[in-house]
């Protein structure tokens, strides 16, 4: 299999392609962080004095997704830049 960058030579990244790749990479990281957050939340006991009851159980997944998005807005775990580089590289662009 031929590497797209080496086959045609690196191409500069158009601004709209870079913006789309960045958005996609950030969304990917938000989903990943949200899934990790959901797993962590599931490991916490919810019985006792501070239990949110049935309502907490219903909305726990949504809360984990939102937390993932907010964590990424604050800088995330650093996954998005690596994902963005791979997206651009697969399309034959060079940064």
């Amino acid at each position: 299999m031929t590497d797209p960058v080496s086959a045609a030579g690196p191409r500069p990244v158009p601004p709209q392609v870079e913006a789309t790749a960045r958005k996609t990479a950030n969304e990917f990281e938000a989903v990943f962080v949200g899934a990790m957050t959901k797993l962590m939340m599931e490991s916490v006991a919810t019985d006792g004095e501070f239990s949110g009851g049935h309502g907490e159980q219903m909305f726990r997944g949504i809360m984990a997704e939102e937390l993932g998005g907010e964590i990424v807005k604050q800088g995330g775990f650093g996954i998005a830049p690596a994902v963005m580089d791979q997206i651009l590289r697969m399309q034959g662009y060079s940064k």
Side-chain angles (χ1 to χ4, degrees):
M1 186 168 173
T2 309
D3 182 6
V5 174
S6 62
R11 302 182 292 165
V13 183
Q16 69 274 13
V17 172
E18 185 173 355
T20 302
R22 177 173 284 110
K23 181 178 184 280
T24 302
N26 284 335
E27 288 171 355
F28 174 84
E29 185 172 11
V31 169
F32 178 79
V33 173
M36 285 182 53
T37 304
K38 184 177 180 201
L39 287 171
M40 288 189 296
M41 291 173 75
E42 288 172 356
S43 71
V44 176
T46 57
D47 54 348
E49 216 172 289
F50 296 103
S51 172
H54 184 66
E56 178 183 351
Q57 290 174 350
M58 284 178 46
F59 292 104
R60 191 175 258 202
I62 295 169
M63 184 172 150
E65 288 176 20
E66 291 299 316
L67 280 172
E70 290 302 315
I71 289 169
V72 169
K73 285 180 187 176
Q74 299 299 317
F77 294 166
I79 297 169
V83 171
M84 184 177 120
D85 288 345
Q86 288 301 312
I87 290 170
L88 294 174
R89 188 168 180 263
M90 288 175 64
Q91 295 178 18
Y93 293 108
S94 172
K95 261 197 87 120

